[in-house]
Amino acid sequence: MHPFHRLCPARASLRWKIAGLAAATACLVAAAVGVLVHMWIAQDIRDRAEAQATNSVYAAMDTYRRTGTLTDGAELDPADLPAALRHPADSNRYTAYDGVVDGNVGPSVWGAQRVDGPGNRVLAVRVNMSSELHTLRRLDAVMVAASLIALAAAVPLAVYGAGLLGRRLRRVSETAVRISAGDLDARTGRTKGRDEVAEIAATVDLMADSLGRRLRTERQFTADVAHELRTPVGGLLAAADLLPPGETEDLLRARVRDLRGLVEDLLEISRLDAGAEQPARARVPLGAVVSEAVTRIGLDTEVTVADALGEEAARTVETDPRRLERIVSNLVVNAHRHGGTPVRVMVEGRTVAVRDHGPGFPPDLLRDGPRRFHTGATERGSGHGLGLTIASGQARLLGAELRLDNAPDGGAVATLRLPV
């Protein structure tokens, strides 16, 4: 699986991650505001109750001293007076909070002052905060309801905004996937906004431009070298035919043939890169074509043809037989040259698998695919690394899929799946 494809599930969950983050942030903000407002109002209620208790004690003490009567709910030494107010140190007015709930009497604030005289009795006034605290609870309920309503409105907006961001990122990702698949003309184009996503899109397009220029230069260089070498290599081969028979002539002829093969491979790659090749399709027997291609190579290779999709489906396929033979021969030669015997070719339905029993494909080849002039690990032998590159290019031209894997019990497996 391509690395970009493995990112697709993460892209799909991005909007929900952003929505969850927005919801969590909204909850934290609502909770923080609610707690702060509750604490501020609760403290204000208590401060006002203390002020009321102090004023009531002042008025009741003045009346008691002038008339000897108790007013404004004042009491002398009440039984439920908090212990902190029972024995004041002086004649100043003091207050104390009493959180005891007794029947209809809720939390209260007591105000008290010592009455100078025999017994030093204490005049106290109780200010009940039940109504104010009930109002505070109603305010808390209203804030919770308002927070839930705001959260219900914020989550869809966050999902919508995350969807817009996700679509822009998906566009950039799809462009990168197309570029990695070989479409050098793919571009993200201009995106809305001037944020980080727009910068990423511009960077991807800039990378594609640079990569396209480099690849076009490389391909043009390959084509030019191949064309320039074709004539002198032909002359070398003709000159080798004029040499007298012998070991030197055989060695030189073999080296010239290898050089000519390399030039022909380079020319074939340049034509594939330029898109100058077109398949000549025909209905052919897949098993017979593969068997004939293996026979022409002349290497010890076992061919097995299985009828897995029915006799008619397994007998013929619509493809270019010459290019199919080219792919199969390159895979078999690569298996013999870089792998280990025995080499087996299995034909099943529209699938052709070539397996060897060598060290297997190196990790970088499995990760990045075939690369020209790169043979992979040293234990797979030497070569110019064009066989798999040509096979991959011809497979793309046929609309087929060429997959390279390593068998669990050792050895390399190249699987060609022809299109239906």
Side-chain angles (χ1 to χ4, degrees):
M1 182 180 294
H2 197 278
F4 281 105
H5 294 163
R6 290 194 291 267
L7 295 176
C8 293
R11 286 185 324 193
S13 63
L14 178 61
R15 69 165 56 186
W16 300 113
K17 290 180 180 179
I18 295 178
L21 180 60
T25 303
C27 290
L28 289 175
V29 171
V33 172
V35 170
L36 290 176
V37 170
H38 176 88
M39 294 177 62
W40 183 82
I41 293 180
Q43 186 63 41
D44 181 69
I45 291 174
R46 185 167 175 174
D47 292 342
R48 286 189 285 109
E50 291 178 353
Q52 182 180 351
T54 300
N55 294 334
S56 298
V57 168
Y58 175 81
M61 180 64 72
D62 181 69
T63 302
Y64 180 73
R65 286 173 176 171
R66 287 186 294 101
T67 64
T69 60
L70 298 174
T71 59
D72 297 330
E75 301 177 70
L76 291 174
D77 295 329
D80 48 357
L81 183 67
L85 301 179
R86 289 186 178 277
H87 302 288
D90 48 38
S91 298
N92 294 330
R93 289 180 291 274
Y94 295 95
T95 60
Y97 176 74
D98 183 8
V100 177
V101 178
D102 183 13
N104 294 328
V105 180
S108 306
V109 171
W110 287 86
Q113 184 178 3
R114 188 177 67 187
V115 179
D116 294 329
N120 290 332
R121 305 183 69 182
V122 177
L123 185 147
V125 176
R126 183 175 190 174
V127 178
N128 188 10
M129 299 187 301
S130 297
S131 60
E132 289 82 358
L133 294 179
H134 176 69
T135 302
L136 178 60
R137 287 191 292 270
R138 291 181 60 187
L139 178 61
D140 291 340
V142 171
M143 292 187 63
V144 170
S147 299
L148 293 177
I149 294 174
L151 181 62
V155 170
L157 290 177
V159 172
Y160 176 74
L164 295 178
L165 177 62
R167 281 192 291 271
R168 295 173 64 194
L169 290 175
R170 187 177 300 113
R171 182 179 176 185
V172 176
S173 177
E174 290 173 351
T175 302
V177 170
R178 290 172 56 191
I179 294 173
S180 66
D183 185 3
L184 301 181
D185 295 327
R187 296 294 183 274
T188 303
R190 299 186 60 182
T191 59
K192 297 179 180 179
R194 295 183 178 180
D195 51 11
E196 289 81 358
V197 178
E199 293 179 0
I200 293 174
T203 303
V204 170
D205 288 347
L206 182 62
M207 176 197 68
D209 292 336
S210 177
L211 180 61
R213 287 192 299 269
R214 292 186 180 184
L215 288 180
R216 281 189 290 269
T217 301
E218 177 186 341
R219 291 173 178 177
Q220 186 61 42
F221 175 77
T222 302
D224 293 343
V225 168
H227 282 288
E228 292 295 329
L229 288 178
R230 191 174 191 179
T231 300
V233 168
L236 283 176
L237 188 59
D241 293 335
L242 301 177
L243 292 175
E247 182 178 352
T248 303
E249 185 268 344
D250 293 337
L251 180 61
L252 181 58
R253 185 185 295 273
R255 293 296 180 262
V256 173
R257 281 198 299 265
D258 291 341
L259 183 57
R260 184 179 64 175
L262 174 59
V263 172
E264 294 297 332
D265 288 345
L266 290 175
L267 287 172
E268 185 173 356
I269 289 178
S270 65
R271 289 193 297 269
L272 291 172
D273 290 340
E277 296 288 316
Q278 294 295 330
R281 299 184 183 276
R283 295 206 65 86
V284 294
L286 179 60
V289 172
V290 172
S291 300
E292 184 177 354
V294 173
T295 302
R296 289 179 180 177
I297 298 172
L299 299 175
D300 184 15
T301 306
E302 177 185 345
V303 180
T304 302
V305 180
D307 186 4
L309 300 180
E311 181 180 356
E312 181 64 25
R315 187 167 63 244
T316 61
V317 293
E318 185 175 352
T319 187
D320 187 328
R322 182 181 66 84
R323 300 183 189 280
L324 177 60
E325 289 181 4
R326 178 67 163 153
I327 296 173
V328 173
S329 62
N330 278 18
L331 295 179
V332 172
V333 170
N334 183 81
H336 279 279
R337 179 179 298 169
H338 303 296
T341 57
V343 176
R344 296 189 177 95
V345 179
M346 292 153 284
V347 181
E348 183 175 356
R350 289 181 169 84
T351 301
V352 181
V354 180
R355 178 184 176 181
D356 62 52
H357 290 75
F361 292 119
D364 58 342
L365 179 62
L366 298 178
R367 182 183 64 249
D368 303 326
R371 290 181 290 169
R372 61 194 69 180
F373 302 110
H374 184 79
T375 58
T378 56
E379 62 268 18
R380 287 188 60 84
S382 60
H384 48 71
L386 297 181
L388 290 180
T389 304
I390 293 175
S392 178
Q394 295 288 8
R396 286 195 300 269
L397 189 62
L398 295 179
E401 176 190 5
L402 179 60
R403 185 178 180 87
L404 305 179
D405 295 295
N406 287 330
D409 54 347
V413 181
T415 306
L416 177 69
R417 292 186 177 89
L418 296 175
V420 179

